Amino acid sequence: MNLEQLAATARQMVADNKGLLAADESTGTIGKRFEGIGVANEEDNRRDYRELLFRTSGLGKFISGAILYDETLRQSAADGTTFSALLEGEGILPGIKVDTGAKPLAGSPDETVTEGLDGLAARVEEYAGLGARFAKWRAVIRIGDGQPTPYAIGVNAHALARYARICQEGGLVPIVEPEVLMDGGHDIERCDEVTTETLKRVYDALYDQGVALEGTILKPNMVLPGTDCPTQAGIDDVAARSVQCLLRSVPAAVPGIMFLSGGQSEEEATAHLNAMNAAFPGLSWKLSFSYGRALQAGALKAWKGDAANAGAAQRALLERARQNSAACAGTSSEQAA
Ligand code: 13P
C-alpha cells in the first residue's frame, strides 16, 4: 500500500471547495431516472448523457472527481476519447463504484448486506488500469420497526472494511459509504442515534482490518428526520446535528467527509452543507458533497434525451456544482425552497 499517494489523492478530492459528481447509477437505476424524462434505457443514451455531463465546460472548477459505473468507465466519447481521459483533461479524477448492490441479508431478509467482495482485488487492479483513482461501496441501513439490527450494521461494517482494505492494497482510495436511508416516519433523534451507532461500528471495523484512515473518504447521510415524519427539521438543526454526530464518531485522521444527497432536493442538499460549513469553520475534516440526484436532477429535466438541449442541461449542472462548491466554503447565498 502506498499510503502517501492514497492520502494525497484523498486530500485532492476535497481540496479547493470541490466535491464529487456521483454518476455511478447502475443500469437499473439510470433506467429509473430516464423513465422520469421519457428516455429509453439504451446504451447509446446512457453514453450520450454521461458525455454531456463530463463535457460541461468549467466543471473542474467545482468538481474534483466523478464516480462512474463499470459500463461508463469502459465507454468513450463520440470522438473516441475514453471517458477517464476526458475527465482527467478537465482536472477531474475518475472513480468507480465497485459494489454489486444491496441484497437480502440471510437471517434478516428485510435488511440488506452489500455484495461484491468476491474477485474484488482483481477488479480493482483492472479498474486502476482503466484510469480509476478511487472507488465507492455503499452499504444501506434502513430504519424501521426493530431495524436496523446490530447484526445488519455489523455485517455491513465488516464488508465496508474488507472493501476498503482491498482498494487500498490495489491503489484506489476507498469512499466508505454507510447510508442510513431517509425513508420512514422516524424522527431526527432516531436518525442521529442510528447514524452514530453505524459510524462507530464502521470505524471499529476499519481499525480492526488495518485500513489507513488518511487514505479514505467518508460518504455519510446527513442527520435528517424520515421523509414521513410529521416533524420536519430546520436547516440549522440538521446542520448542527449532522456535525455533532460526525464529531462523536469520525476520527480526525479522515481527510474528507463528502455527503450523499439521499433524496433531498437540490436546494436542500446545498443549504444543509452550506449551513454546516458556515456554522462550524475549522473542523479537522473537510465537509463536502458527493451528490448524485442533487447535482443531476435539473440537468436531466433540461436534457430530456434531446441533443439540442445539451447546453441547457450543462448549464443546470454547472450551476448546481457552483452552488455546492460555495456551500463547501459556507458562502452559498441560495435559499432552500
Ligand atoms: P444521491 O446523492 O442521489 O444519494 O447519490 C449519491 C450516491 O452515490 C449514492 O450511492
Side-chain angles (χ1 to χ4, degrees):
M1 177 193 313
N2 183 340
L3 182 55
E4 221 163 281
Q5 216 167 60
L6 289 169
T9 302
R11 285 195 304 270
Q12 191 182 338
M13 290 163 73
V14 284
D16 304 324
N17 299 321
K18 293 184 194 180
L20 303 181
L21 167 63
D24 61 322
E25 299 85 359
S26 63
T27 303
T29 302
I30 198 71
K32 283 188 222 153
R33 309 276 183 269
F34 280 4
E35 210 179 291
I37 54 166
V39 171
N41 190 10
E42 291 165 1
E43 182 172 352
D44 280 352
N45 289 339
R46 295 193 293 271
R47 203 205 57 81
D48 289 351
Y49 174 61
R50 265 73 181 245
E51 177 165 359
L52 172 166
L53 297 178
F54 304 155
R55 279 208 186 277
T56 300
S57 175
L59 194 63
K61 238 175 101 182
F62 311 118
I63 297 291
S64 58
I67 319 175
L68 312 184
Y69 183 58
D70 181 276
E71 176 187 87
T72 320
L73 184 63
R74 299 174 193 282
Q75 284 173 326
S76 298
D79 68 1
T81 316
T82 63
F83 278 155
S84 57
L86 188 68
L87 289 164
E88 291 273 11
E90 199 30 71
I92 298 173
L93 298 172
I96 179 77
K97 183 224 295 290
V98 300
D99 68 68
T100 56
K103 306 287 160 55
L105 172 61
S108 186
D110 291 339
E111 299 184 285
T112 59
V113 61
T114 299
E115 296 189 346
L117 289 171
D118 287 354
L120 181 57
R123 284 194 294 127
V124 163
E125 191 182 336
E126 189 196 1
Y127 289 143
L130 289 168
R133 302 285 302 281
F134 63 91
K136 182 192 108 167
W137 177 289
R138 172 175 174 258
V140 180
I141 304 293
R142 181 179 291 280
I143 299 179
D145 223 8
Q147 292 175 358
T149 60
Y151 164 50
I153 296 176
V155 292
N156 276 292
H158 185 266
L160 272 168
R162 289 264 293 133
Y163 139 82
R165 183 69 195 254
I166 291 167
C167 284
Q168 289 195 326
E169 297 291 335
L172 300 185
V173 170
I175 297 179
V176 173
E177 179 180 2
E179 175 174 6
V180 177
L181 296 177
M182 285 167 68
D183 305 349
H186 56 272
D187 59 17
I188 193 167
E189 280 84 15
R190 180 74 182 131
C191 178
D192 198 346
E193 195 177 280
V194 171
T195 304
T196 302
E197 170 75 12
T198 301
L199 291 173
K200 284 185 173 293
R201 299 282 297 273
V202 166
Y203 281 100
D204 280 354
L206 293 172
Y207 177 74
D208 288 346
Q209 296 190 40
V211 175
L213 297 184
E214 293 82 353
T216 65
I217 292 287
L218 176 69
K219 175 165 171 166
N221 53 283
M222 295 180 190
V223 174
L224 294 160
T227 36
D228 299 330
C229 178
T231 315
Q232 288 300 310
I235 302 284
D236 293 339
D237 192 21
V238 170
R241 282 177 188 268
S242 297
V243 171
Q244 280 150 12
C245 170
L246 294 166
L247 284 168
R248 287 193 298 266
S249 324
V250 183
V254 173
I257 297 178
M258 306 181 89
F259 290 101
L260 58 92
S261 59
Q264 300 176 64
S265 72
E266 292 174 306
E267 292 79 11
E268 281 167 350
T270 302
H272 288 142
L273 178 62
N274 187 64
M276 288 184 225
N277 281 310
F280 298 90
L283 295 166
S284 54
W285 2 259
K286 292 264 172 53
L287 289 183
S288 175
F289 60 94
S290 174
Y291 294 160
R293 283 162 286 182
L295 275 170
Q296 293 183 56
L300 271 166
K301 224 158 87 188
W303 178 54
K304 296 191 201 72
D306 186 344
N309 297 330
Q314 290 173 332
R315 282 193 294 280
L317 171 64
L318 194 66
E319 176 57 12
R320 287 317 327 151
R322 192 177 70 79
Q323 289 292 349
N324 285 309
S325 176
C328 290
T331 59
S332 169
S333 54
E334 191 179 62
Q335 299 297 313

